[in-house]
Amino acid sequence: MLKKGVERKEVLRALGEVFRAHGYEGASLTLITEATGLGKGSLYHLFPGGKEQMATEVLADIDAWFELNIYAPLRNADDPARAIAAMIAGVDQYFHSGGRVCLVGMVALGAARDTFAASVDDYFARWQVALAQLLRRSGLSRSQAQRRAEDALLTIQGALVLARARSDAGIFRRALSDLTARLLAPPE
Amino acid sequence: MLKKGVERKEVLRALGEVFRAHGYEGASLTLITEATGLGKGSLYHLFPGGKEQMATEVLADIDAWFELNIYAPLRNADDPARAIAAMIAGVDQYFHSGGRVCLVGMVALGAARDTFAASVDDYFARWQVALAQLLRRSGLSRSQAQRRAEDALLTIQGALVLARARSDAGIFRRALSDLTARLLAPPE
DNA sequence: GACTCTCTGTACCGATCGGTACAATGTCTT
DNA sequence: AAGACATTGTACCGATCGGTACAGAGAGTC
């Protein structure tokens, strides 16, 4: 029998990778059973809501990871430079230096966007707010802090797209490095 | 009968919008027949290679648009500031100020990437080279020009993702405006 | 050992997928 | 008018889609 909490997390992780690799509509039940090692019976027992519930929970799981490893440290930090460095390091780790795609960004671009619009918006909104508040504490005006936080999110997303499009992880690393400098620059 | 050149372009434009709206794998033949007004008979007469050929030609069509409206002006320009402003204006127009998604970026993120890897890479590579050469003529070092061009492409892609994720076209416009300033900034 | 209740493999469902076959229709040439 | 050829609608193909039904296996309790 499943150790409920633990196993479910592992299933969600496998689901996440399938969605990342094939997109929401492209992740067929066949692919999902292969990736998770679970038959349809188990799958629909764990997720009575089908694919949509799977994706919803995967997004929630991603959100939880970012809340714990990115947003909360940003909120609780008192040294902006260290906090930003930690965020960049966390992002670099999470996205495997550009080798791993952002599922949230992917969903945002696809047809499934409307179904998950709230989760998608929330993911970016909470990140931006947490980062902007930190930047504000470091001396930036409210609007400058918001703009820089927006720039940070957009740079990360763009770097992921371009790195994958050109199969060049260097793009991602260079973008993160430049971004760090831009975030830490003195107020204009 | 079809006026071959003209009608085909129109079909390709409709195809492009279907692919943009539903992704490559999500664009079913049913959706395609509805969007183009063409039955399967006509579709497979025009594109014997099926969906893959349709997507290939759509990508080629996009490439041709950028070659004409973006890359070539960049190459032939002698006033960098004007050329960059024109590029930004062209991009803003093409992407409907963030309301229209980049099909190339979308393909890059999805499972169809490998099938169209060459076209995807080419699209970004030619853009980056054209822009970097212009920046070089404006006094930047080779590596600086390359980095700034890379930054430009990635910013545009990221802005498209974030604007769509948050349903906020303002993000795209702000990103383009900031980008213009960054591209025109004096060498570091 | 019998009774629960959770979990899972398998067979099956109607719908839709991308693609093919082909007869009928239209249009141009002579 | 007749023949050639481009174009199209429709019926159909096997495969796969997401999802359901359900019998039975597995583990925990008494």
Side-chain angles (χ1 to χ4, degrees):
Chain A
M1 194 187 291
L2 291 180
K3 285 154 272 173
K4 286 208 160 182
V6 183
E7 288 268 13
R8 195 177 185 92
K9 282 276 174 199
E10 284 171 26
V11 172
L12 286 176
R13 209 168 309 151
L15 282 175
E17 296 311 322
V18 185
F19 285 130
R20 258 182 261 271
H22 301 91
Y24 176 68
E25 26 267 319
S28 71
L29 282 243
T30 305
L31 287 169
I32 291 175
T33 57
E34 283 168 6
T36 58
L38 262 36
K40 285 190 179 187
S42 318
L43 238 21
Y44 276 83
H45 179 72
L46 260 66
F47 306 94
K51 255 178 89 170
E52 186 170 331
Q53 185 185 350
M54 296 180 207
T56 302
E57 292 204 22
V58 167
L59 289 175
D61 191 47
I62 291 172
D63 195 83
W65 191 94
F66 275 83
E67 175 59 39
L68 181 67
N69 296 91
I70 307 284
Y71 311 158
L74 241 26
R75 280 193 218 102
N76 302 328
D78 27 48
D79 180 348
R82 287 180 91 86
I84 284 166
M87 179 187 91
I88 296 290
V91 165
D92 188 53
Q93 175 208 325
Y94 184 83
F95 292 114
H96 300 171
S97 297
R100 195 194 207 190
V101 133
C102 176
L103 183 57
V104 186
M106 206 171 171
V107 169
L109 285 186
R113 183 189 74 145
D114 296 349
T115 311
F116 306 104
S119 302
V120 168
D121 186 81
D122 205 51
Y123 170 83
F124 289 114
R126 305 225 326 276
W127 193 345
Q128 190 185 354
V129 169
L131 180 54
Q133 283 176 350
L134 177 88
L135 292 172
R136 193 143 163 62
R137 267 177 278 142
S138 84
L140 263 57
S141 73
R142 181 202 294 257
S143 69
Q144 275 224 16
Q146 274 186 343
R147 268 303 288 121
R148 281 203 194 173
E150 188 172 287
D151 172 57
L153 302 199
L154 143 191
T155 298
I156 292 166
Q157 292 298 312
L160 287 170
V161 173
L162 201 58
R164 195 165 156 86
R166 310 219 49 201
S167 304
D168 178 0
I171 294 172
F172 189 70
R173 269 190 290 261
R174 283 192 290 275
L176 286 192
S177 151
D178 283 21
L179 175 60
T180 307
R182 247 184 283 148
L183 284 174
L184 292 174
E188 289 166 18
Chain B
M1 194 190 292
L2 291 180
K3 286 152 269 169
K4 286 206 161 184
V6 182
E7 287 269 13
R8 194 176 187 93
K9 281 277 174 198
E10 285 172 25
V11 172
L12 285 177
R13 211 168 308 152
L15 281 175
E17 296 311 322
V18 185
F19 284 130
R20 258 182 263 270
H22 300 92
Y24 176 68
E25 27 267 319
S28 70
L29 281 241
T30 305
L31 287 169
I32 290 174
T33 56
E34 284 167 5
T36 57
L38 262 35
K40 286 190 178 186
S42 317
L43 239 20
Y44 276 83
H45 178 71
L46 259 66
F47 305 95
K51 255 177 89 170
E52 186 170 331
Q53 186 186 350
M54 296 179 207
T56 302
E57 290 203 23
V58 167
L59 289 175
D61 191 47
I62 291 172
D63 195 84
W65 191 94
F66 275 82
E67 174 58 39
L68 181 67
N69 297 90
I70 306 283
Y71 310 158
L74 241 27
R75 279 193 218 101
N76 303 329
D78 29 48
D79 180 347
R82 288 180 90 86
I84 284 167
M87 179 188 91
I88 296 291
V91 165
D92 188 54
Q93 174 208 327
Y94 184 83
F95 291 115
H96 300 170
S97 296
R100 194 194 208 189
V101 132
C102 175
L103 183 57
V104 185
M106 204 172 173
V107 168
L109 284 187
R113 184 189 71 147
D114 295 350
T115 311
F116 306 105
S119 301
V120 168
D121 186 82
D122 205 51
Y123 170 84
F124 289 114
R126 304 224 327 275
W127 193 345
Q128 188 184 354
V129 168
L131 179 55
Q133 283 175 349
L134 177 89
L135 292 172
R136 195 143 163 61
R137 267 177 278 142
S138 83
L140 263 57
S141 72
R142 182 201 294 252
S143 69
Q144 276 226 16
Q146 274 186 343
R147 267 302 289 119
R148 281 202 193 173
E150 189 173 285
D151 173 58
L153 303 198
L154 142 191
T155 297
I156 292 167
Q157 292 298 312
L160 287 170
V161 172
L162 201 58
R164 194 166 157 85
R166 310 219 50 200
S167 303
D168 178 2
I171 294 172
F172 189 70
R173 269 191 290 259
R174 283 191 291 276
L176 286 191
S177 151
D178 283 20
L179 175 60
T180 308
R182 245 184 285 148
L183 284 174
L184 292 174
E188 289 167 20

